[in-house]
Amino acid sequence: MWKFILRRFLVMIPQLFLLSIIVFMMAKAMPGDALSGQEINPRANPAELERIREDLGLNDPWYQQYIRWASNAVQGDFGISYTHKTPVMDVIEDRLWNTVFLALVTLIFTYMLAIPLGILSGRYNDTWVDKTVTGYSYIGFGTPIFIFALIMLFVFGFALDWFPSGGSVDSKVDEGTFAYVVSKINHLILPALSTALIATTSTIQYLRNEIIDNKIKDFVRTARSKGVPESNVYSRHILRNSFLPIAAFLGYEITGLIGGAVIIETIFSYPGLGQLFLSSVSLRDFSVVTAIVMMTGFATLLGTLLSDIILSAVDPRIRIE
Amino acid sequence: MKKAILQIENLTTSFRIQSKYHAAVDDVSFTVNENEIVAVVGESGCGKSALALSIMQLHNKQRTKSEGTIHYKGQNLLTLNDTQMNKVRGKELGMIFQEPLTALNPLMTIGKQIEENLDYHTELSRDEKKSRTIELLTQVGIPYPERTYKQYPHELSGGMRQRAMISIAIACNPALVIADEPTTALDVTIQAQILDLLKDIQSKTKMGIILITHDLSVVAEVADRIVVMYAGQVVETGSVKEIFNNPLHPYTRSLLNSIPSATNEKNRLHVIEGIVPSIAKMDRKGCRFQDRIPWIPKQAHEESPHLHEVGQDHFVRCTCYKEFYFQDEGDASTHDITQSR
Ligand SMILES: Nc1ncnc2c1ncn2[C@@H]1O[C@H](COP(=O)(O)OP(=O)(O)OP(=O)(O)O)[C@@H](O)[C@H]1O
Ligand code: SF4
Ligand SMILES: [Mg+2]
C-alpha cells in the first residue's frame, strides 16, 4: 500500500514536469508581459521599462527562464505577483483556503442531497417518489450552472437578502472570533448550495442506477434466502455495493470542484482561486496564473490517487500491492 | 410411513408481463419427505427456478402471483407475510443457488456471510457464531476453514465457493434445502464432489432436499424420487428406479436418452428436438408437448392431459405415451419398443 502510494507520487513527477513546461510556454506565448500595460502610460520611460525587463530576466532565453522558475517553484516560490507586488504564494494562500472550504462545503451538500434522494429513488424506482427525483435530475442536467447560480444570487442574495451576495467574510468581524466563523460559513452557503443543487443530480442518478442494478443481483436474493429483513438487505448488501463506485469517485469529485470554481466564484464574487485565476489572466499576472495551474494540476493528480486508494480500501477485489 | 416435510398442492406461479399474468409454474403438486432427495428435472425455461423461488417466496411480489398451497409444519407458506416468512427462510428452508460467484456478496467475507444466517435465527454470542461457522466450513470440506472464514468470495475457487454456499444454506440445520442446479456452473469432477457432499450432509441430518437440475445423470446417483417438469407442468413423477426403468412420457424418455454415456455419446439417438415454449407465447389449451412430436397423430393426445397413476407412486401426464415412438425409430419399430418396455 505505502509502496503503491510512493510509486504513484514518483509517477507524478514527470506528469507535473510536462504540465509545467506546457504552462510555462503558454504563458510566454501570450502577447505582452507584466509590463506591457505600462507602455501606453505616457509618463513611463521605455528605456526604464527595458531595464526592468532585463533585471527581471524577461529577456533571457525561455529555457533559462523556465529553469529559474521551476527550481523556485519546487521550493514553493512562484515568484512575485506583478499586480499585487507580493510573493505569489502570499496572494494565493488565502484564496486557496477559501476555495478548499467552498469545495468541501459543496461536497457535503452534494452528498447530503444525493445519498437520501438516490436511495429513495433507487429503492422505490418507478414510483412517484422516483419520478419526482428523476424529474429534478433532468432539470439539473439541463440547467447551466451559471444561469442557476445567477438566479440563486438574485433571489437569496438580493431579493430576499438572506445571504451575503459576495465576498468570503464580513469585513467588520475580527479574525479568530466566533462571529468570524459564522460569517465565513454564511458566505459559503449560497455558492456551495448553488453548485451542489446542480452537481448532485448526476450523483443521484448514478446512485439510483447502482441500486436498481444491485437489488436484482443474485447475492441479494441469497441474503433474502437467509431470512434477512428487507431493511438489512438494503443496508448490508444493496447499499454497500452501490456506494462503492460513488466512494471511489470522491477524489475526482474534489478535483472537479476545484477546477470548476472559476464560474461560481466569479458569480458570487467569492475570493477564491478561480476568481483570482480569471483576474490574473486578464491582468497578465502570469506568475500567479502559472502557480494556480500547477496547483490545480497537482490537485487533480492527488484526487485521482485518492480515488484509487479509496477504491482499494472499500473493494476487496481490488488490492494494491 | 415417511414423514412429509413439505407438501406442494396445485401451486401456480404467474409472472406479470405487460399487464397480463402468465403461469411459469402450472398446477404443480408434490411432496418432499424427511430424509429424501426429490429431483426436479426439465430443460431450461420449464419453470424449475420459478418453482424453487415460489417455495422460498423470493419472487418480486409486485410482478408475481402464487396460488395453491405449500404446507410446511402445519402452515401454508403462501399465506405468510414477509416478517413471518423471514423466520422460515434460512432457518427452516435453506437455498443453494446455481452460480456461487454471483450468489455471494463480493464485499463480505465468507465467514460474515455464513454468520449472517446465524444472526437472525439464533441467540449465539459472537464467539459461538464464529466457532459454529468454522465448524460448518469444516463440515462442507473446506481445507483451511480458519483462513476461508476471512476470505472474500473472489479468492475461492468455484467448488470452494459452492461449498461455502452450502454451509450458508445448512447453517441453521434446516428441515429442507432447495438446491437450484448446484453443480451446473462447476467442472465435472467438482460436480460429483458437491453431490456427494449434499448426500453426505443429508444422510447425517435427515433433511429433505429438492435438487433441481436439467441433467438426469446427476439424479441417478443421489435422488430418491424424480419430478419431471415440462412447460410449467409436472409430466411424470415416480421413484428414481421406476423412472429409469420404466419411463413413459415422451419427454422423460427423451431426457433419459440425452444422458451422455459410453454407448450413445456420439449419436444422440431418440432425442426430441425443440425448446420449451416461452410462458407468454405458450398455448395452454390441450397438450403442451405435442408441437415437439408432430409425427404422432393428433388423436393420440388427450384434450386436456391429466396425470394418471400408472404404477405405484408413478404418475404420468396423459395417455399418448401408449402410441408414442421416436421419429428416428421409424414406424416399423414402434411395436417393438412398446413391447420391450
Ligand atoms: N421474473 C420473471 N418474469 C417473467 N418471466 C419469468 C421470470 N422468471 C422466469 N420467467 C419465465 O418463466 C419460465 C420458467 O423460468 P425458470 O427460470 O423457472 O426456468 P428454469 O427451468 O429454471 O430454467 P433454467 O434451467 O434455465 O434455469 C421461463 O419461460 C422464463 O422466461
Ligand atoms: S398428449 Fe401426449 S404429448 Fe401431450 S402431454 Fe400427453 S402424452 Fe405428452
Ligand atoms: Mg433455473
Side-chain angles (χ1 to χ4, degrees):
Chain A
M1 184 72 173
W2 291 112
K3 261 193 192 152
F4 165 81
I5 295 173
L6 185 72
R7 203 170 60 222
R8 286 289 296 263
F9 269 105
L10 290 178
V11 173
M12 277 182 198
I13 294 172
Q15 286 172 323
L16 287 172
F17 173 70
L18 208 67
L19 178 69
S20 67
I21 294 214
I22 294 170
V23 167
F24 189 80
M25 300 298 277
M26 279 186 13
K28 284 289 149 201
M30 297 280 188
D33 59 33
L35 302 179
S36 306
Q38 301 290 322
E39 279 164 4
I40 48 169
N41 182 350
R43 273 177 299 173
N45 177 354
E48 179 74 359
L49 285 177
E50 196 49 38
R51 199 185 55 75
I52 299 174
R53 281 207 173 93
E54 195 60 46
D55 279 358
L56 288 172
L58 293 178
N59 292 335
D60 290 349
W62 72 269
Y63 56 87
Q64 278 183 15
Q65 292 189 44
Y66 172 76
I67 291 166
R68 195 160 51 231
W69 171 76
S71 52
N72 287 335
V74 174
Q75 296 157 38
D77 174 12
F78 285 92
I80 306 283
S81 159
Y82 302 128
T83 47
H84 295 80
K85 310 287 182 235
T86 47
V88 171
M89 280 320 279
D90 290 357
V91 181
I92 286 181
E93 202 185 353
D94 287 352
R95 311 293 197 111
L96 177 66
W97 285 118
N98 281 342
T99 295
V100 169
F101 287 140
L102 179 60
L104 281 180
V105 174
T106 308
L107 213 60
I108 292 169
F109 283 151
T110 304
Y111 286 114
M112 265 167 53
L113 288 164
I115 291 171
L117 291 181
I119 291 175
L120 274 179
S121 197
R123 178 161 180 176
Y124 304 106
N125 64 315
D126 299 328
T127 61
W128 65 268
V129 185
D130 176 37
K131 287 189 177 124
T132 313
V133 173
T134 307
Y136 160 52
S137 301
Y138 281 130
I139 296 172
F141 285 140
T143 313
I145 178 80
F146 64 94
I147 291 182
F148 182 69
L150 280 173
I151 295 171
M152 291 287 282
L153 177 65
F154 178 76
V155 174
F156 297 103
F158 293 107
L160 295 171
D161 199 18
W162 288 359
F163 295 102
S165 57
S168 72
V169 68
D170 197 330
S171 54
K172 290 190 284 289
V173 294
D174 293 324
E175 205 167 327
T177 61
F178 181 66
Y180 184 83
V181 178
V182 172
S183 169
K184 273 240 160 198
I185 292 172
N186 216 14
H187 282 78
L188 276 174
I189 289 176
L190 205 48
L193 201 59
S194 304
T195 316
L197 279 169
I198 297 292
T200 195
T201 55
S202 56
T203 314
I204 292 175
Q205 286 305 301
Y206 204 93
L207 184 57
R208 170 188 184 269
N209 296 339
E210 277 295 317
I211 290 173
I212 292 173
D213 280 355
N214 275 319
K215 71 181 178 183
I216 54 162
K217 289 263 172 79
D218 286 357
F219 64 80
V220 174
R221 201 178 51 190
T222 306
R224 295 208 172 97
S225 82
K226 293 190 258 189
V228 179
E230 194 62 10
S231 57
N232 291 2
V233 169
Y234 268 88
S235 61
R236 296 186 72 169
H237 297 276
I238 300 175
L239 296 184
R240 239 198 241 186
N241 280 274
S242 304
F243 283 146
L244 197 82
I246 290 180
F249 219 69
L250 185 73
Y252 301 106
E253 194 95 27
I254 295 174
T255 310
L257 284 173
I258 292 178
V262 173
I263 297 169
I264 208 78
E265 287 177 1
T266 308
I267 290 171
F268 288 96
S269 342
Y270 183 84
L273 272 194
Q275 200 206 30
L276 177 66
F277 179 76
L278 267 196
S279 63
S280 305
V281 168
S282 55
L283 293 169
R284 299 209 160 73
D285 196 344
F286 293 130
S287 47
V288 175
V289 172
T290 45
I292 293 177
V293 173
M294 286 311 296
M295 283 180 159
T296 318
F298 187 57
T300 307
L301 295 177
L302 277 185
T304 320
L305 177 61
L306 181 65
S307 274
D308 287 352
I309 292 173
I310 293 176
L311 192 61
S312 80
V314 290
D315 191 341
R317 286 164 297 187
I318 298 167
R319 276 279 169 264
I320 294 170
E321 299 307 328
Chain B
M1 190 61 200
K2 283 179 187 156
K3 193 170 144 246
I5 302 172
L6 190 82
Q7 288 166 289
I8 302 170
E9 277 161 25
N10 310 105
L11 176 68
T12 299
T13 294
S14 319
F15 296 114
R16 196 182 67 214
I17 300 169
Q18 290 162 354
S19 81
K20 271 172 81 187
Y21 280 92
H22 301 273
V25 176
D26 203 346
D27 200 22
V28 167
S29 306
F30 67 91
T31 300
V32 186
N33 296 315
E34 198 180 73
N35 202 13
E36 183 181 58
I37 300 186
V38 176
V40 176
V41 286
E43 287 163 303
S44 190
C46 69
K48 305 180 302 288
S49 297
L51 168 71
L53 297 177
S54 301
I55 300 170
M56 297 294 288
Q57 302 272 300
L58 288 174
H59 287 300
N60 178 345
K61 298 236 165 17
Q62 270 110 51
R63 301 200 301 115
T64 320
K65 223 168 46 184
S66 281
E67 286 150 335
T69 48
I70 301 175
H71 284 295
Y72 176 82
K73 284 196 178 162
Q75 49 189 352
N76 177 4
L77 296 184
L78 293 183
T79 61
L80 300 187
N81 64 27
D82 260 345
T83 319
Q84 294 166 320
M85 200 57 210
N86 276 336
K87 298 215 174 72
V88 177
R89 279 191 285 249
K91 182 163 193 283
E92 310 275 343
L93 309 178
M95 180 140 185
I96 300 164
F97 295 93
Q98 173 172 344
E99 186 35 84
L101 179 59
T102 57
L104 293 170
N105 189 335
L107 304 187
M108 247 188 185
T109 59
I110 298 292
K112 282 280 165 287
Q113 300 197 51
I114 299 169
E115 272 176 16
E116 193 176 29
N117 204 340
L118 305 171
D119 286 346
Y120 296 105
H121 305 298
T122 65
E123 304 288 317
L124 299 179
S125 70
R126 274 182 68 158
D127 290 345
E128 285 165 341
K129 273 188 276 197
K130 178 161 183 189
S131 56
R132 168 73 181 141
T133 302
I134 301 283
E135 181 189 316
L136 282 161
L137 288 170
T138 317
Q139 191 186 349
V140 298
I142 283 182
Y144 303 102
E146 298 276 354
R147 194 177 78 193
T148 303
Y149 180 89
K150 286 188 240 114
Q151 279 177 314
Y152 288 93
H154 73 276
E155 297 173 280
L156 303 184
S157 68
M160 286 301 141
R161 272 180 219 134
Q162 195 58 300
R163 286 171 194 270
M165 184 78 231
I166 292 172
S167 57
I168 290 176
I170 64 167
C172 297
N173 290 318
L176 178 78
V177 164
I178 304 172
D180 189 355
E181 313 222 15
T183 60
T184 310
L186 306 174
D187 293 344
V188 186
T189 46
I190 314 281
Q191 284 186 9
Q193 291 173 9
I194 295 291
L195 286 173
D196 287 346
L197 173 65
L198 279 176
K199 184 87 188 165
D200 178 54
I201 293 169
Q202 188 239 11
S203 64
K204 282 183 191 137
T205 59
K206 306 275 178 272
M207 66 183 180
I209 295 182
I210 298 179
L211 177 65
I212 294 175
T213 176
H214 58 251
D215 182 358
L216 265 175
S217 59
V218 159
V219 170
E221 292 162 37
V222 293
D224 300 296
R225 278 192 303 126
I226 297 185
V227 174
V228 182
M229 278 182 79
Y230 184 77
Q233 292 180 317
V234 174
V235 293
E236 188 162 3
T237 139
S239 71
V240 169
K241 216 172 133 215
E242 180 73 10
I243 297 285
F244 272 81
N245 293 336
N246 185 23
L248 294 179
H249 196 281
Y251 184 59
T252 314
R253 292 175 58 192
S254 170
L255 284 179
L256 282 170
N257 289 339
S258 63
I259 299 178
S261 70
T263 48
N264 68 353
E265 203 165 18
K266 289 228 171 58
N267 45 340
R268 280 168 54 90
L269 224 58
H270 307 338
V271 171
I272 297 163
E273 301 297 322
I275 52 160
V276 184
S278 82
I279 56 171
K281 302 246 171 62
M282 188 194 304
D283 185 4
R284 289 173 190 278
K285 278 212 292 295
C287 167
R288 295 182 186 180
F289 197 60
Q290 61 186 2
D291 289 347
R292 285 176 68 174
I293 47 172
W295 61 93
I296 302 296
K298 285 272 174 278
Q299 311 84 269
H301 305 294
E302 266 182 26
E303 227 162 81
S304 49
H306 290 291
L307 281 173
H308 299 275
E309 185 156 11
V310 289
Q312 215 222 315
D313 219 13
H314 185 179
F315 291 84
V316 62
R317 196 167 284 276
C318 167
T319 48
C320 89
Y321 68 86
K322 291 178 182 157
E323 295 183 32
F324 175 78
Y325 58 90
F326 284 105
Q327 197 173 21
D328 42 14
E329 281 170 353
D331 294 59
S333 58
T334 320
H335 191 68
D336 284 358
I337 292 289
T338 335
Q339 286 302 314
S340 65
R341 208 179 45 227

